[in-house]
Amino acid sequence: MTPVKLGDISIGGGSPLVLIAGPCVIESEQHATDLAGRLADISRRLRVPFIFKASYDKANRTSGRSFRGPGLDEGLRILAAIKSRLRVPILTDIHEPSQARAAADVADVLQIPAFLSRQTDLIAAAARTGRAVNIKKGQFLAPEDVKHAIAKATAAGSSRVIVTERGVSFGYHDLVVDMRAFPIIRALGVPVVFDVTHSLQLPGGGDGITAGQAEFIEPLASAGVAAGVDGVFVEVHDEPSRAKSDAQNALRLDKLEPLVHRLMAIDTIAKAGSPARGFGALGCKQPEVPLGG
């Protein structure tokens, strides 16, 4: 795998775990700026590479009455101000090819939403900007099928493609994460990120809103990092109950630092070596029989 470079940050290829975090949507300039500053402080204390994430428009809300954000122009102005003030990379999603160029003037990573991960023109437009492209794997795709979306981006000229896993549709109003997906996607030659909080959504399960199960963020994130991911994507809010989007699956801000500290420790163990040599790398005795034998 060739790591994806964003300035001083390297994603994949054995690089340290990367944290992608922020609110689901820009609720106000003050809120986004304050939250970004607190996230940047946490990342500096923990020495974890950090990318700030926020959406200027949530075009795929369950209900047409739901809050969508400040829109393209105002949202990008806010993100540009945060980037200039805090000196952190920015990730935001685009929903139409016409948005790619304007978003690329601000964002370091253009994200393709999961529901749009087969939209050829959207992927190509993002790739042609020269920015890194983060493709959210659709909830309807098997892990190996994302290779076609990757090929669309590379054919349009992108050499920096990331794939994010965010769960697979499983019955009504539920998603499931198959840990086999992470090595399958990484075998395609791209870094893989685990979107923990979106994986805990209950899509449409709240009668016009998306419900969620934030209480399972820590165990699911821990399992994903142990399975070998290159980054973790977490939607964070200082008061999730008051969040204007994804309130029920966002991580409360005061829980982020202990969670990331735990994930970094797990990542160190996961990167110590493959299962075949991991015991020796950790100074432990190799088992005399195969596990499960």
Side-chain angles (χ1 to χ4, degrees):
M1 177 195 300
T2 300
V4 169
K5 297 282 189 178
L6 299 174
D8 295 333
I9 295 177
S10 181
I11 308 173
S15 302
L17 189 72
V18 173
L19 172 65
I20 302 172
C24 179
V25 65
I26 298 172
E27 299 182 4
S28 70
E29 181 170 8
Q30 187 66 55
H31 180 263
T33 302
D34 290 348
L35 185 55
R38 296 173 73 178
L39 293 172
D41 287 343
I42 290 171
S43 68
R44 281 193 289 267
R45 280 199 299 273
L46 296 179
R47 297 184 180 180
V48 59
F50 167 60
I51 301 169
F52 179 68
K53 175 268 168 187
S55 298
Y56 53 79
D57 179 21
K58 300 300 294 184
N60 56 352
R61 297 301 304 274
T62 302
S63 169
R65 299 185 302 274
S66 297
F67 179 78
R68 289 183 54 166
L72 179 69
D73 294 338
E74 177 64 4
L76 290 178
R77 184 193 67 78
I78 293 170
L79 291 175
I82 290 172
K83 181 176 181 177
S84 175
R85 177 177 178 179
L86 299 176
R87 305 295 180 186
V88 295
I90 298 293
L91 178 149
T92 196
D93 40 3
I94 60 174
H95 294 85
E96 301 174 10
S98 61
Q99 298 174 350
R101 176 47 59 190
D105 288 340
V106 174
D108 301 270
V109 184
L110 298 183
Q111 181 166 280
I112 307 300
F115 284 123
L116 301 178
S117 59
R118 289 181 59 173
Q119 296 298 103
T120 303
D121 292 343
L122 182 64
I123 295 172
R128 284 194 293 266
T129 67
R131 293 300 195 181
V133 179
N134 181 36
I135 300 172
K136 287 279 195 82
K137 183 181 75 61
Q139 301 91 323
F140 44 84
L141 292 178
E144 57 270 22
D145 292 343
V146 78
K147 66 184 178 183
H148 302 296
I150 296 170
K152 292 175 183 179
T154 56
S158 178
S159 59
R160 296 186 296 160
V161 181
I162 305 161
V163 172
T164 294
E165 170 62 84
R166 49 124 332 135
V168 178
S169 296
F170 183 75
Y172 298 108
H173 304 148
D174 204 2
L175 300 169
V176 66
V177 178
D178 183 350
M179 295 298 154
R180 295 176 297 179
F182 301 122
I184 291 172
I185 294 171
R186 292 183 90 245
L188 299 175
V190 296
V192 60
V193 170
F194 182 19
D195 182 347
V196 181
T197 49
H198 277 115
S199 295
L200 288 168
Q201 285 182 339
L202 300 175
D207 189 22
I209 64 170
T210 292
Q213 299 175 311
E215 66 270 25
F216 297 121
I217 290 173
E218 181 177 329
L220 198 62
S222 299
V225 174
V229 299
D230 302 296
V232 174
F233 182 114
V234 185
E235 290 192 334
V236 181
H237 200 282
D238 50 325
E239 294 185 70
S241 64
R242 299 180 62 182
K244 295 183 178 181
S245 180
D246 281 359
Q248 294 187 33
N249 56 270
L251 179 69
R252 204 173 69 213
L253 178 61
D254 61 1
K255 293 186 175 183
L256 179 64
E257 188 163 350
L259 174 63
V260 174
H261 190 271
R262 174 185 178 88
L263 298 182
M264 291 172 68
I266 295 172
D267 182 60
T268 298
I269 296 172
K271 286 186 168 70
S274 67
R277 64 180 188 275
F279 289 87
L282 294 173
C284 301
K285 184 179 179 181
Q286 291 279 5
E288 296 181 356
V289 295
L291 295 178

